[in-house]
Amino acid sequence: MPVYSVSHVENVRVCVVMVGLPARGKSLIAQKIVRYLSWLSIKSKCFNVGNYRRELAKDVDASHEFFSPTNAVGTQYRRQAVEAAIEAMMHWFNDEHGVVGVLDATNSTRARRDEILQLCRTNSIEPMFLESWCDDENLILHNIIDVKTTSPDYQGQSADFATSDFLKRIKHYESTYEPLDRDHDRQLTFVKLVNVNSQIMLNRIESYLESRIVYYVMNLHIRPRTIYLSRHGESEYNLTGQIGGDANLSERGWKYAKKLPELVLKSLGEDAPHTNLTVWTSTLKRTQQTASFLPYKKKLSWKALDELDAGDCDGMTYEEIEQKFPEDFKARDDNKYEYRYRGGESYRDIVIRLEPIIMELERQENILIITHQAVLRCLYAYFMNIPQEESPWMSIPLHTLIKLEPRAYSTLVSRLKADIPAVSTYKEKGTSQLGEAEGAKSVKSRDIINESPCS
Ligand SMILES: *[C@@H]1O[C@H](CO)[C@@H](O)[C@H](O)[C@H]1NC(C)=O
Ligand SMILES: *[C@@H]1O[C@H](CO)[C@@H](O)[C@H](O)[C@H]1NC(C)=O
Ligand SMILES: *[C@@H]1O[C@H](CO)[C@@H](O)[C@H](O)[C@H]1NC(C)=O
């Protein structure tokens, strides 16, 4: 049962068609939409025409001449790539019950848009065009450097060559590009972002699902920033293995709290003097105590960041739960994401209450979030695109600062350990014993995750 059963209620399927020149952040936006909706259990997938083109034209030189409208071979391949991407998307809609497909393509002529429009209509899919229009040179240059110097098309080439070749490629597209237009396209459902979100034009947004996508996109910015995540320091409950409650930090937990400012400074490096962090905690004592030595002025506590509510099991140890509620204990192991504690919450419930946090997080710049294991797993899953079967089992150790740096095609992760011992609070499947065995699915094994480049 999805969080938003929109697709069942409305029976709506949406095809988001990206429109705009290269280096306008289209792929980034496309991937974020897919990641966000998937996190909310709305089945979504991105179809990147560039990937199909690279696959089809493996042995063809992909420097800028390939993209010239007068290059017959290039035009042929690019045509095939669009067709392959659209065909794959239609299969996915029909055979795999897809709900939101994102077509990430570049050629945005009216003729091409009309073809997609017709195809969607015949298949009862709502087409929604999403244009990223941008004339801010700095923004474009930033995108070129960030995305294209790491693009598979320029592997093994110098950054200078990549940049100048890519600028020429953009020129080829400019010669045929037809932006969405308020008058000409007034029959279409579209969103037009001007210079990311300094101006946003909306036209004929019809379904609830579409309006959710719009709302999300309106909150995005693409300025570089860093997100730090940490659990609270070890608590007195963690020493006794109890869950829930509102315990104080243990002695070692306090040590971590004192060490945390230094850890953050070290991680910021030379940026430290001019970086202002916003600090978010939950409303529980252990996170606020952990934040208490941080020198930053902006501190906010959110109820939505409180730990998963264990209901009737609050204050018990896993062993006590296993004895008292054996069926529950097993049910939770069988499907930890869906299992809801008696009178408490499930992981899915956390995702629902975290949604406003995600929106606000997208708007923020540099931020440090001190929260709890289950909440942190859900936040981490959003940034790293981790599937629901896996996220509740991820190991996120105490006394460790996690740093996330969102980039165009991936999020970089690094971890700083405080070197202050703490009990392990990781519980593996099928046991009530705490502690981490070899090979546990830990954050460590996912140090740098490349979000599969969108296909
Ligand atoms: C874009 O698509 C249109 C219509 O399908 C086609 O006529 C045109 O040649 C294409 N242009 C480029 C630059 O690929
Ligand atoms: C650590 O202790 C806190 C209570 O202070 C609890 O909420 C949390 O679940 C504990 N961690 C684990 C996994 O035992
Ligand atoms: C937590 O610490 C405060 C202040 O040191 C103390 O007054 C309180 O009794 C402690 N609470 C528990 C449950 O130990």
Side-chain angles (χ1 to χ4, degrees), residues 325-338:
F325 304 115
E327 305 86 44
D328 285 61
F329 191 75
K330 187 171 177 312
R332 183 156 200 259
D333 267 1
D334 288 346
N335 191 347
K336 198 171 174 187
Y337 192 82
E338 302 291 349

Side-chain angles (χ1 to χ4, degrees), residues 236-237 246-249 254 285 289:
E236 288 180 339
Y237 262 32
D246 191 10
N248 287 326
L249 290 184
W254 278 110
K285 279 192 293 202
Q289 289 172 350

Side-chain angles (χ1 to χ4, degrees), residues 231-232 235 237-238 242-244 247 286 307 318 373 425 434:
R231 292 179 62 188
H232 54 81
S235 73
Y237 262 32
N238 291 138
Q242 288 165 278
I243 64 168
R286 52 193 186 277
E307 180 57 311
Y318 285 122
Q373 180 159 260
T425 56
L434 297 180

Side-chain angles (χ1 to χ4, degrees), residues 39 43 69 82 85 120 156-157 163 170 172 193 203 207 218 249 254 277 317 336 380 383 385-386 394 434:
W39 187 72
K43 191 163 176 162
V82 181
C120 284
Q157 312 270 23
T163 307
I170 297 175
H172 292 311
L193 306 172
N203 196 62
S207 61
M218 285 171 71
L249 290 184
W254 278 110
L277 283 182
T317 65
K336 198 171 174 187
Y380 190 83
F383 284 105
N385 210 8
I386 299 194
M394 263 186 306
L434 297 180

